[in-house]
């Protein structure tokens, strides 16, 4: 999908998980902010693939139609019901929930936080590439530029992600790091691997469909072994999976520059990591997508 293969008239396929909005006016507002930010900055038509439920879909369609009229960019919405996808890939989800959620009922325990890693199994075969974006993001450049990164993927790369910008995996790997003094895992970006953040995910669905290596990771045995090796008990859903498998299979992942997912969450700063926090958090390149994770606020423009 080089520059020459991506014309300005092509629909850009964007995945958005938008579900459980009942009684959650904030989430609807976040969806509006995200979609408005995309339409404001591009001339490319947008195809939104919405992982949703009945109520959330109605709200999204309403908001989307209004924004489409305001910005004069064509927008298509295709719904995928979270319940149906979760049912189709329920075995994978339950394997991952066991390792990557704090406890049943915890915020990140819901199936919605694991859908991305198995989405390619449920996606229509006509869909070749998709970029998933969290609703708590705001795009401040032409989103089309992001799709050009697919052409930078190496042969074995199937998914593109930016690094996590907090020491959360330093924390998760506490025991492992105490035994392995020089490990890059859980270290800051400069010369370590801080893990991945899943707020923005580039997925080459065709490569995922044919990757024997990636498919082999969606197994209880493999994840049990990896989790034991790294003493890894996660709590952040899909990004724990990408991070843990990224230790041993880095060739699967394209590292997207940090400005494409400028996380804003400072929760870890005052949880014993004051000294190192900035080395994780720094991303000096001009932000292209802000990610107001852990309910942070966007900066003023
Ligand atoms: N999400 C959703 N309904 C919910 C919670 C989350 O649709 O009730 C989706 C939404 O797209 C959100 C994403 O899941 O952006 C990931 O959750 P969140 O952004 O809250 O996690 P964080 O980035 O703060 O870790
Ligand atoms: Mn988020």
């Amino acid at each position: 999908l080089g520059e020459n293969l991506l014309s300005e008239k092509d629909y850009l396929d964007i995945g958005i998980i938008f579900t459980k909005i009942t009684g959650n006016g904030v989430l609807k507002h976040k969806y509006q902010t995200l979609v408005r930010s995309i339409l404001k900055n591009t001339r490319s038509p947008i195809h939104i693939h919405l992982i949703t439920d009945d109520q959330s879909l109605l709200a999204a369609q309403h908001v989307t139609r209004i924004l489409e009229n305001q910005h004069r960019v064509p927008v298509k919405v295709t719904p995928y019901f979270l319940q149906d996808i979760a049912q189709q890939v329920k075995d994978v989800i339950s394997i991952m929930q066991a390792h990557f959620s704090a406890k049943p009922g915890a915020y990140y325990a819901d199936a919605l936080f694991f859908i991305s890693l198995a989405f390619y199994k449920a996606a229509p075969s006509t869909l070749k590439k998709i970029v998933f974006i969290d609703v708590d993001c705001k795009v401040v450049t032409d989103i089309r530029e992001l799709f050009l990164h697919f052409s930078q993927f190496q042969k074995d790369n199937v998914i593109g992600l930016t690094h996590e910008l907090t020491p959360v995996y330093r924390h998760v790997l506490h025991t492992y790091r105490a035994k392995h003094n020089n490990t890059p895992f859980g270290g800051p970006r400069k010369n370590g691997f801080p893990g991945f953040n899943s707020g923005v995910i580039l997925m080459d669905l065709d490569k995922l469909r044919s990757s024997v290596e990636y498919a082999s990771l969606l197994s209880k045995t493999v994840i049990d072994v990896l989790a034991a090796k790294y003493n890894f008990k996660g709590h952040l859903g899909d990004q724990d999976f990408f991070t843990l498998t990224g230790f041993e299979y880095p060739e699967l992942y394209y590292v997207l520059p940090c400005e494409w997912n400028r996380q804003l969450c400072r929760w870890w700063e005052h949880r014993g990591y004051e000294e190192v926090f900035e080395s994780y958090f720094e991303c000096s390149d001009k932000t292209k997508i802000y990610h107001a994770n852990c309910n942070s606020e966007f900066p003023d423009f």
Side-chain angles (χ1 to χ4, degrees), residues 108 134-137 197-199 291-294:
Y108 295 106
D134 268 11
V135 289
D136 56 346
C137 286
N197 182 276
S198 58
H291 182 187
N293 52 340
C294 80

Side-chain angles (χ1 to χ4, degrees), residues 174-192:
H174 181 79
T175 307
Y176 179 83
R177 287 171 58 86
K179 291 190 210 134
H180 301 83
N181 287 319
N182 295 317
T183 184
F185 304 142
R189 245 163 14 96
K190 196 166 178 195
N191 35 38

Side-chain angles (χ1 to χ4, degrees), residues 79-288:
Y80 304 77
F81 292 94
L82 174 66
Q83 270 200 328
D84 299 345
I85 302 191
Q87 180 60 30
Q88 272 183 65
V89 297
K90 64 176 188 306
D91 297 346
V92 174
I93 289 178
S94 75
I95 294 166
M96 303 308 163
Q97 276 170 329
H99 287 281
F100 309 133
S101 51
K103 55 176 184 293
Y107 183 65
Y108 295 106
D110 197 286
L112 76 95
F113 296 104
F114 298 91
I115 283 295
S116 70
L117 62 92
F119 175 75
Y120 75 99
K121 289 172 176 278
S125 57
T126 47
L127 188 58
K128 307 297 183 196
K129 294 181 173 68
I130 189 165
V131 174
F132 272 89
I133 307 183
D134 268 11
V135 289
D136 56 346
C137 286
K138 193 175 197 170
V139 180
V140 293
T141 189
D142 188 342
I143 191 71
R144 191 171 169 276
E145 274 179 54
L146 180 54
F147 285 76
L148 301 177
H149 277 272
F150 280 114
S151 63
Q152 312 270 356
F153 278 34
Q154 301 291 305
K155 185 166 81 45
D156 294 326
N157 298 164
V158 293
I159 286 179
L161 296 156
T162 68
H163 285 135
E164 167 67 31
L165 298 182
T166 76
V168 62
Y169 293 111
R170 184 190 190 96
H171 186 80
V172 168
L173 292 173
H174 181 79
T175 307
Y176 179 83
R177 287 171 58 86
K179 291 190 210 134
H180 301 83
N181 287 319
N182 295 317
T183 184
F185 304 142
R189 245 163 14 96
K190 196 166 178 195
N191 35 38
F193 172 55
F196 290 122
N197 182 276
S198 58
V200 175
I201 312 175
L202 271 58
M203 290 188 175
D204 190 321
L205 298 171
D206 270 345
K207 284 171 105 183
L208 278 161
R209 288 173 185 119
S210 58
S211 172
V212 176
E213 190 170 70
Y214 187 87
S216 76
L217 301 181
L218 304 179
S219 111
K220 176 165 160 33
T221 322
V222 173
I223 300 303
D224 285 352
V225 168
L226 286 181
K229 175 171 176 183
Y230 293 97
N231 230 288
F232 190 107
K233 178 69 187 91
H235 64 283
L236 296 175
D238 58 358
Q239 73 171 52
D240 290 335
F241 170 82
F242 299 133
T243 297
L244 179 61
T245 56
F247 298 156
E248 304 249 331
Y249 305 91
E251 66 279 9
L252 289 172
Y253 299 105
Y254 169 74
V255 179
L256 188 65
C258 64
E259 65 266 28
W260 285 105
N261 176 6
R262 202 309 159 229
Q263 299 128 243
L264 298 167
C265 179
R266 289 181 160 274
W267 194 88
W268 287 97
E269 188 172 17
H270 303 298
R271 301 277 186 318
Y273 295 97
E274 286 86 351
E275 308 260 291
V276 295
F277 187 81
E278 277 311 316
S279 66
Y280 288 84
F281 200 66
E282 73 85 24
C283 169
S284 53
D285 294 310
K286 191 169 184 305
T287 298
K288 299 188 167 171

